Amino acid sequence: MLRREVLKFLTGLAATAASPVWATGAYPTPHFMGEPTPFTADTLRARAKAMARTPYELRPEVPEEWRNLSYDEYRALWFRSNASALWTDTDTPYRVDFFHPGLYFPHAVQINVVENGNANRVAFDLGLFDKTDTFPDLPLNENMGYSGFRLRTELEKPGIHQEFMVMQGASYFRALGKGQVYGLSARGLAINTAGAEGEEFPDFTEFWIERPKTGREDITIHALMDSPSTTGAYSFVVHPGFPTQIDVTAHVFPRHEISHVGIAPLTSMFLFDETNRNRFDDFRPAVHDNDGLLIQNGAGETIWRPLANPTKLQVSSFVDNNPRGFGLMQRANEFSDFADLEALYHKRPGLWITPGEDWGRGTVTLVEIPADREIYDNIVAYWRPRESLKAGQDYQFTYRMSWGESATDPQPVARVLNTRLGKRFHGGYIVTIDFENSAALPEDLSELALHIGSNRGTHSDGIVQRNPETGGPRLAFTFDPEEASAVEMRAQLRHKGRMVSEVWLYRWTAA
């Protein structure tokens, strides 16, 4: 089953598990197994470094009976959130729920709780879950492990612990800001994405969750990563809110040279909007988790690249030196943009990546995969270093993830709000780009200089008018691809030689 279908299924399962039926204290809470062991981020890093010097070994699978659960049987068992969560009935501001393995998750992960410098392994306990009478009898082992976990805290209302982060499956995790619903995901590392020899998906194999000390509002999670090509030691310092921010420190130890690696990879879905609406017979005006790739490059430009759902795989590389940040954003945030009361796409978060140090030369890479249904995750974005990662080295990357509205540094330019594209009666296409009303713009829009370019075909000089709904300028121009199957376009507003808008980039492809 596709990963997005799995996430939809788990979201529904979470809603079931969170229903306030159980009385707190009437059921068991997680217990530990074995003796506590000293733990620090340094010991985790040393362990990952030592593993990288040894051949990769496949992790054992959970018992066959768990792997063979049907979809309905898997759903018949769920964690008892309101009674059995870690730190229930304590003054710790967080609650941790666990997911059982099996079906789509044949490899379990070990989860540890760290307190006062010691790590205690959480035992697998079926008593933490509720089930229907259709759930079969399965072999049990407290050392089996879980498939992942989720974090909850009093995000909006006192006494109500709401879910805001999930870590489950390979190195995937996702989070949201206050008032939002889950959308795009992140990963620990991407290897050979869209490569001819196939992509490699590293796994987080073990987690350590630090119990926050009194007065701390953040929570820290550590993770061990393993794959045929590399190992890694990750630390996540999580600050829930709006936006929810996660400070990441990643140490990557390649087993062999990796030429195509993605740092801070993001995974999302884009099906259609006003640029390709004609390809979909749907009651909604748009369907997407995010609608654009935003980049602040090392040269000081702010670039907006609307996402596309091409008919053939396409990869775009934005060459840069020491990027200031990048992310997949959702600028369509009104209900009327989607008219969907179930998916609530207008509440999906954007995710902005801010490097913690200079990342040097490389590319912000965007992968767009053809999709015909919204269950497919068809968008990937990441930072690809120009130099390959060498075996035996310790590569450190730090960055901040901001899940919510655009959390970029304030820019004195007008943002792109929307892009529309459609055929002309006399041939060619019309493009309109709506910019927000910004203080950087002149009162008289006729003073704006319009900079429009394309690498193929022909285009008009364009006109600019004020959009009566947004109050900002709308740039409109026509283009004719002629014989080209793909056209790269660029547009920007300037005033007296100054950049006063984001740089709009778009790749048109023949359907």
CSV table of all heavy atoms in Angstrom, one decimal, residues 334-362:
chain,number,residue,atom,x,y,z
A,334,GLU,N,-7.2,29.5,2.3
A,334,GLU,CA,-8.6,29.7,2.5
A,334,GLU,C,-9.5,28.5,2.1
A,334,GLU,O,-9.1,27.8,1.2
A,334,GLU,CB,-9.1,30.9,1.7
A,334,GLU,CG,-8.4,32.2,2.0
A,334,GLU,CD,-8.7,32.8,3.3
A,334,GLU,OE1,-9.8,32.4,3.9
A,334,GLU,OE2,-7.9,33.6,3.9
A,335,PHE,N,-10.6,28.3,2.8
A,335,PHE,CA,-11.4,27.1,2.5
A,335,PHE,C,-11.8,27.2,1.0
A,335,PHE,O,-11.9,26.1,0.4
A,335,PHE,CB,-12.6,27.1,3.4
A,335,PHE,CG,-13.7,26.1,3.0
A,335,PHE,CD1,-13.5,24.8,3.2
A,335,PHE,CD2,-14.8,26.5,2.3
A,335,PHE,CE1,-14.4,23.8,2.8
A,335,PHE,CE2,-15.8,25.6,1.9
A,335,PHE,CZ,-15.6,24.2,2.1
A,336,SER,N,-12.1,28.4,0.5
A,336,SER,CA,-12.6,28.5,-0.8
A,336,SER,C,-11.6,28.1,-1.9
A,336,SER,O,-11.9,27.8,-3.0
A,336,SER,CB,-13.1,29.9,-1.1
A,336,SER,OG,-12.0,30.8,-0.9
A,337,ASP,N,-10.3,28.0,-1.5
A,337,ASP,CA,-9.2,27.6,-2.4
A,337,ASP,C,-9.4,26.1,-2.7
A,337,ASP,O,-8.9,25.7,-3.8
A,337,ASP,CB,-7.8,27.8,-1.7
A,337,ASP,CG,-7.5,29.3,-1.6
A,337,ASP,OD1,-8.0,30.1,-2.4
A,337,ASP,OD2,-6.8,29.6,-0.6
A,338,PHE,N,-10.0,25.3,-1.8
A,338,PHE,CA,-10.1,23.9,-2.0
A,338,PHE,C,-11.6,23.4,-1.9
A,338,PHE,O,-11.9,22.4,-2.6
A,338,PHE,CB,-9.3,23.2,-1.0
A,338,PHE,CG,-7.8,23.6,-1.0
A,338,PHE,CD1,-7.4,24.5,-0.1
A,338,PHE,CD2,-7.0,23.0,-1.9
A,338,PHE,CE1,-6.1,24.9,-0.1
A,338,PHE,CE2,-5.6,23.4,-1.9
A,338,PHE,CZ,-5.2,24.3,-1.0
A,339,ALA,N,-12.4,24.0,-1.1
A,339,ALA,CA,-13.8,23.6,-0.9
A,339,ALA,C,-13.9,22.2,-0.5
A,339,ALA,O,-14.8,21.4,-0.9
A,339,ALA,CB,-14.6,23.8,-2.2
A,340,ASP,N,-13.0,21.7,0.4
A,340,ASP,CA,-13.0,20.3,0.8
A,340,ASP,C,-13.1,20.3,2.4
A,340,ASP,O,-12.2,20.7,3.1
A,340,ASP,CB,-11.6,19.7,0.4
A,340,ASP,CG,-11.7,18.2,0.6
A,340,ASP,OD1,-12.3,17.7,1.6
A,340,ASP,OD2,-11.0,17.5,-0.2
A,341,LEU,N,-14.3,19.8,2.8
A,341,LEU,CA,-14.6,19.8,4.3
A,341,LEU,C,-14.0,18.6,5.0
A,341,LEU,O,-14.0,18.5,6.2
A,341,LEU,CB,-16.1,19.8,4.5
A,341,LEU,CG,-16.8,21.1,4.2
A,341,LEU,CD1,-18.3,20.9,4.2
A,341,LEU,CD2,-16.4,22.2,5.2
A,342,GLU,N,-13.4,17.7,4.2
A,342,GLU,CA,-12.8,16.5,4.8
A,342,GLU,C,-11.3,16.5,4.9
A,342,GLU,O,-10.7,16.4,5.9
A,342,GLU,CB,-13.3,15.2,4.1
A,342,GLU,CG,-14.8,14.9,4.2
A,342,GLU,CD,-15.2,13.6,3.6
A,342,GLU,OE1,-14.3,12.9,3.1
A,342,GLU,OE2,-16.4,13.3,3.7
A,343,ALA,N,-10.7,16.8,3.7
A,343,ALA,CA,-9.2,16.8,3.7
A,343,ALA,C,-8.6,18.1,4.3
A,343,ALA,O,-7.5,18.1,4.8
A,343,ALA,CB,-8.8,16.7,2.2
A,344,LEU,N,-9.4,19.2,4.3
A,344,LEU,CA,-9.0,20.5,4.9
A,344,LEU,C,-7.6,20.9,4.4
A,344,LEU,O,-6.7,21.2,5.2
A,344,LEU,CB,-8.9,20.3,6.5
A,344,LEU,CG,-10.3,19.9,7.1
A,344,LEU,CD1,-10.1,19.8,8.6
A,344,LEU,CD2,-11.4,21.0,6.8
A,345,TYR,N,-7.4,20.9,3.1
A,345,TYR,CA,-6.1,21.2,2.6
A,345,TYR,C,-5.7,22.7,2.9
A,345,TYR,O,-4.5,23.0,3.0
A,345,TYR,CB,-6.1,21.1,1.0
A,345,TYR,CG,-6.1,19.6,0.6
A,345,TYR,CD1,-7.2,19.1,-0.1
A,345,TYR,CD2,-5.0,18.8,0.8
A,345,TYR,CE1,-7.2,17.8,-0.5
A,345,TYR,CE2,-5.0,17.5,0.4
A,345,TYR,CZ,-6.1,17.0,-0.2
A,345,TYR,OH,-6.1,15.7,-0.6
A,346,HIS,N,-6.7,23.5,3.2
A,346,HIS,CA,-6.3,24.9,3.5
A,346,HIS,C,-5.7,25.0,4.9
A,346,HIS,O,-5.1,26.1,5.3
A,346,HIS,CB,-7.5,25.8,3.5
A,346,HIS,CG,-8.6,25.5,4.5
A,346,HIS,ND1,-9.4,24.3,4.4
A,346,HIS,CD2,-9.1,26.1,5.5
A,346,HIS,CE1,-10.2,24.3,5.4
A,346,HIS,NE2,-10.1,25.4,6.1
A,347,LYS,N,-5.7,23.9,5.7
A,347,LYS,CA,-5.0,23.9,7.0
A,347,LYS,C,-3.7,23.1,7.0
A,347,LYS,O,-3.2,22.8,8.1
A,347,LYS,CB,-6.0,23.3,8.0
A,347,LYS,CG,-7.2,24.2,8.3
A,347,LYS,CD,-8.0,23.7,9.5
A,347,LYS,CE,-9.1,24.7,9.8
A,347,LYS,NZ,-9.9,24.2,11.1
A,348,ARG,N,-3.2,22.7,5.9
A,348,ARG,CA,-2.0,21.9,5.8
A,348,ARG,C,-0.8,22.9,6.0
A,348,ARG,O,-0.8,24.0,5.5
A,348,ARG,CB,-1.9,21.2,4.4
A,348,ARG,CG,-3.1,20.3,4.1
A,348,ARG,CD,-3.1,19.1,4.9
A,348,ARG,NE,-4.3,18.3,4.7
A,348,ARG,CZ,-4.3,17.1,4.1
A,348,ARG,NH1,-3.2,16.5,3.6
A,348,ARG,NH2,-5.5,16.4,4.0
A,349,PRO,N,0.2,22.4,6.7
A,349,PRO,CA,1.3,23.3,7.0
A,349,PRO,C,2.3,23.4,5.9
A,349,PRO,O,2.4,22.5,5.0
A,349,PRO,CB,2.0,22.6,8.2
A,349,PRO,CG,1.7,21.2,8.1
A,349,PRO,CD,0.3,21.1,7.4
A,350,GLY,N,3.0,24.5,5.8
A,350,GLY,CA,4.3,24.6,5.0
A,350,GLY,C,5.4,24.1,5.9
A,350,GLY,O,5.3,24.0,7.1
A,351,LEU,N,6.6,23.9,5.3
A,351,LEU,CA,7.8,23.5,6.1
A,351,LEU,C,9.0,24.2,5.6
A,351,LEU,O,9.3,24.0,4.4
A,351,LEU,CB,7.9,22.0,6.0
A,351,LEU,CG,9.2,21.4,6.7
A,351,LEU,CD1,9.4,21.9,8.1
A,351,LEU,CD2,9.2,19.9,6.7
A,352,TRP,N,9.6,25.0,6.4
A,352,TRP,CA,10.7,25.9,6.0
A,352,TRP,C,12.0,25.3,6.7
A,352,TRP,O,12.0,25.1,7.9
A,352,TRP,CB,10.4,27.3,6.4
A,352,TRP,CG,11.6,28.2,6.0
A,352,TRP,CD1,12.5,28.8,6.9
A,352,TRP,CD2,12.0,28.7,4.7
A,352,TRP,NE1,13.4,29.6,6.2
A,352,TRP,CE2,13.1,29.5,4.9
A,352,TRP,CE3,11.4,28.4,3.5
A,352,TRP,CZ2,13.7,30.1,3.8
A,352,TRP,CZ3,12.1,29.0,2.4
A,352,TRP,CH2,13.2,29.8,2.5
A,353,ILE,N,13.1,25.2,6.0
A,353,ILE,CA,14.3,24.7,6.5
A,353,ILE,C,15.3,25.9,6.5
A,353,ILE,O,15.6,26.5,5.5
A,353,ILE,CB,14.9,23.6,5.6
A,353,ILE,CG1,13.9,22.5,5.4
A,353,ILE,CG2,16.2,23.1,6.1
A,353,ILE,CD1,13.6,21.7,6.7
A,354,THR,N,15.9,26.1,7.7
A,354,THR,CA,16.9,27.2,7.9
A,354,THR,C,18.2,26.5,8.3
A,354,THR,O,18.3,25.9,9.4
A,354,THR,CB,16.5,28.2,9.0
A,354,THR,OG1,15.3,28.7,8.7
A,354,THR,CG2,17.6,29.3,9.1
A,355,PRO,N,19.2,26.5,7.4
A,355,PRO,CA,20.5,25.9,7.8
A,355,PRO,C,21.1,26.5,9.0
A,355,PRO,O,21.0,27.7,9.2
A,355,PRO,CB,21.4,26.1,6.5
A,355,PRO,CG,20.4,26.3,5.4
A,355,PRO,CD,19.2,27.0,6.0
A,356,GLY,N,21.8,25.7,9.8
A,356,GLY,CA,22.4,26.2,11.0
A,356,GLY,C,23.8,26.6,10.8
A,356,GLY,O,24.4,27.3,11.7
A,357,GLU,N,24.4,26.3,9.6
A,357,GLU,CA,25.8,26.7,9.3
A,357,GLU,C,25.8,26.9,7.8
A,357,GLU,O,24.8,26.6,7.1
A,357,GLU,CB,26.8,25.7,9.8
A,357,GLU,CG,26.7,24.3,9.1
A,357,GLU,CD,25.7,23.4,9.8
A,357,GLU,OE1,25.6,23.5,11.1
A,357,GLU,OE2,25.0,22.7,9.1
A,358,ASP,N,27.0,27.3,7.2
A,358,ASP,CA,27.1,27.3,5.8
A,358,ASP,C,27.2,25.9,5.2
A,358,ASP,O,28.0,25.1,5.6
A,358,ASP,CB,28.4,28.1,5.4
A,358,ASP,CG,28.3,29.6,5.7
A,358,ASP,OD1,27.2,30.1,5.9
A,358,ASP,OD2,29.4,30.2,5.8
A,359,TRP,N,26.3,25.7,4.2
A,359,TRP,CA,26.2,24.3,3.6
A,359,TRP,C,27.1,24.3,2.3
A,359,TRP,O,27.1,23.2,1.7
A,359,TRP,CB,24.8,24.0,3.3
A,359,TRP,CG,24.1,23.5,4.5
A,359,TRP,CD1,24.6,23.3,5.8
A,359,TRP,CD2,22.7,23.0,4.6
A,359,TRP,NE1,23.6,22.8,6.6
A,359,TRP,CE2,22.5,22.7,5.9
A,359,TRP,CE3,21.7,22.9,3.7
A,359,TRP,CZ2,21.2,22.2,6.4
A,359,TRP,CZ3,20.4,22.5,4.1
A,359,TRP,CH2,20.2,22.1,5.4
A,360,GLY,N,27.7,25.4,2.0
A,360,GLY,CA,28.6,25.3,0.8
A,360,GLY,C,27.9,25.3,-0.5
A,360,GLY,O,26.7,25.8,-0.6
A,361,ARG,N,28.5,24.7,-1.5
A,361,ARG,CA,27.9,24.7,-2.8
A,361,ARG,C,27.1,23.4,-3.0
A,361,ARG,O,27.4,22.3,-2.5
A,361,ARG,CB,29.0,24.7,-3.9
A,361,ARG,CG,29.8,26.0,-3.9
A,361,ARG,CD,30.8,26.1,-5.0
A,361,ARG,NE,31.6,27.3,-4.9
A,361,ARG,CZ,31.2,28.5,-5.4
A,361,ARG,NH1,30.0,28.5,-6.0
A,361,ARG,NH2,31.9,29.6,-5.3
A,362,GLY,N,26.0,23.6,-3.8
A,362,GLY,CA,25.2,22.4,-4.1
A,362,GLY,C,23.9,22.9,-4.8
A,362,GLY,O,23.9,24.0,-5.5
